[in-house]
Amino acid sequence: MERRTLLKVLLAGPFAAQRVLAAPPANMNGIEELQKQWKSFLPAGAAVPSPAEPLNLTNGEWQKRLPAASYNVMREEGTERAGTSPLNNEKRAGVFACAGCGLPLFTSAMKYDSGTGWPSFFTTIPGVFQTKKDFYLVYPRTEYHCIRCGGHHGHLFDDGPPPTGLRYCNNGVALRFIPKDGSSA
Ligand SMILES: [Zn+2]
């Protein structure tokens, strides 16, 4: 790498991360199937977002739409302080949806207590995330983003429980819990 380019990369640091735009899944044929699956996870009568309709808003629009803590995590790739999310202790049956766009991401059956201080899941509702590598902590980590709105949710690790061995370490402020009984969370 040319020296000036290297210097530029070093100076830019974490802010050099590319912006992740929401994108429809690569396999457009699977869209109806995916939407059917998403629908099966939502309460009856709830609007089902289409994977073919990404939600791309400007930073200003996101700022208006999201509370400051959610904006920091979802649009600036921040991380909430461990142990601060009320969702750590959420044990009711229901669905965890994206705080940015309402896409259902996890169910309560996918959640487990990782002891890390962040809501943790060993798998996801199919097709809801795209991933990219970041280098914030020097070594590469896999971060994942909502497929519909591009919002940053957390990082994926391989120290989760069976059957997947995966841990989706999710920021609570990026989630909205919808209890199965229909009452508001
Ligand atoms: Zn979203």
Side-chain angles (χ1 to χ4, degrees):
M1 195 186 291
E2 197 194 319
R3 244 173 102 184
R4 248 173 63 192
T5 316
L6 178 65
L7 187 66
K8 239 159 100 181
V9 169
L10 288 174
L11 284 176
F15 305 108
Q18 79 202 73
R19 193 167 162 227
V20 175
L21 283 177
N27 175 10
M28 297 293 283
N29 297 331
I31 281 183
E32 272 181 31
E33 183 49 35
L34 210 50
Q35 198 169 17
K36 224 158 64 189
Q37 289 201 47
W38 291 353
K39 186 175 175 158
S40 71
F41 288 105
L42 282 170
V48 188
S50 165
E53 291 162 7
L55 185 63
N56 286 316
L57 304 178
T58 65
N59 282 341
E61 287 167 327
W62 280 119
Q63 233 156 355
K64 271 187 228 153
R65 192 178 165 108
L66 294 171
S70 305
Y71 180 84
N72 174 251
V73 164
M74 302 189 77
R75 310 313 307 187
E76 301 177 319
E77 318 212 336
T79 298
E80 74 190 9
R81 216 148 44 80
T84 55
S85 174
L87 293 182
N88 278 318
N89 297 318
E90 182 55 70
K91 301 223 176 358
R92 286 174 295 168
V95 166
F96 296 85
C98 177
C101 72
L103 184 67
L105 305 173
F106 307 100
T107 70
S108 47
M110 300 169 178
K111 189 172 189 282
Y112 76 103
D113 188 1
S114 66
T116 57
W118 289 283
S120 301
F121 305 85
F122 59 83
T123 189
T124 80
I125 290 171
V128 295
F129 289 124
Q130 56 181 333
T131 58
K132 71 166 188 168
K133 292 255 189 282
D134 76 35
F135 294 88
Y136 285 5
L137 300 179
V138 183
Y139 59 85
R141 293 184 304 174
T142 300
E143 61 171 77
Y144 56 91
H145 292 250
C146 171
I147 195 89
R148 181 160 186 251
C149 71
H152 167 72
H153 275 265
H155 290 88
L156 177 59
F157 300 93
D158 58 6
D159 57 7
T164 61
L166 297 174
R167 170 167 59 98
Y168 287 83
C169 184
N170 213 104
N171 289 279
V173 292
L175 297 172
R176 190 163 51 81
F177 181 64
I178 308 166
K180 202 177 177 177
D181 64 19
S183 59
S184 60

